[in-house]
Amino acid sequence: MTAEQQAQAILEAFLGHAVFDGWRIESLSRVETELQLAPGTAYALFPGGITDVLNVWHEMINARMAEGFLEQVSPTFRTRDKISLAVMTRLAAMRPYRDAVRQACGYYALPQHWLSGEQYIFSVCDRIWRLAGDSSTDYNYYTKRILLAAVYRATLLVWLQDASEEQVETRDFLERRLADVLKIPTVFSKWRLSGAHA
């Protein structure tokens, strides 16, 4: 196996442990043994430990989000539609790992990991805005992402409890929250002035 294939195999195996044990560094050693890899392989591929494992996982989910988004987006979609599609596509990509996501939320809730969690949420929201076509660099850049971060965080918590078919409860909640955000005129004033519509 190449290093990339090894890293992917380690990640998939690690996610199985995360469901029951949480995001613990000890699981890297267990995975290494299970996959019959040379001692130290997992730590060489993930030198930052759990932080690196989470980052690789996030990038995998982001890639699946982008792929799914581009397959479904239409030129007729409003900005709001694009944001909603990107969020729901990301949640769909995480669905096979729902219990691992729940454990990751607990990991990021710890005081020593809180900042990493906030940075992760901000980066997710940046990806979503970029997919939606946003290229702002002024104060709106931060405002849009901070507002979406609040929406995404709340929607994620609803999704973790959503047992409805096709994630209907999550989708309805997301649409309501996005509608609330779009009522803040100053955030989207430049889009409206430039002819874009939410």
Side-chain angles (χ1 to χ4, degrees), residues 94-131:
M94 292 194 296
R95 192 168 187 175
Y97 314 105
R98 191 193 294 256
D99 289 332
V101 173
R102 186 175 286 107
Q103 293 281 10
C105 289
Y107 176 87
Y108 283 131
L110 296 173
Q112 64 267 36
H113 303 308
W114 178 83
L115 181 58
S116 294
E118 291 302 298
Q119 292 171 337
Y120 151 62
I121 292 291
F122 189 90
S123 69
V124 168
C125 293
D126 182 52
R127 293 288 186 96
I128 291 171
W129 275 117
R130 295 303 183 192
L131 284 173

Side-chain angles (χ1 to χ4, degrees), residues 87 90 94 120-121 124-125 128 148-156:
V87 172
R90 193 174 204 282
M94 292 194 296
Y120 151 62
I121 292 291
V124 168
C125 293
I128 291 171
L148 180 57
V151 173
Y152 180 84
R153 189 182 292 106
T155 303
L156 180 63

Side-chain angles (χ1 to χ4, degrees), residues 68-102:
F69 176 88
L70 293 174
E71 288 175 353
Q72 300 175 71
V73 71
S74 165
T76 63
F77 278 19
R78 301 169 298 172
T79 299
R80 175 176 166 178
D81 299 329
K82 293 176 182 177
I83 294 293
S84 178
L85 172 61
V87 172
M88 292 305 299
T89 302
R90 193 174 204 282
L91 294 176
M94 292 194 296
R95 192 168 187 175
Y97 314 105
R98 191 193 294 256
D99 289 332
V101 173
R102 186 175 286 107

Side-chain angles (χ1 to χ4, degrees), residues 3 35 46 53 60 98 100 117 119 126 133 143 152 169 180 194:
L35 298 177
F46 298 97
V53 177
M60 180 184 78
R98 191 193 294 256
Q119 292 171 337
D126 182 52
T143 305
Y152 180 84
E169 293 179 9
D180 290 341
S194 64

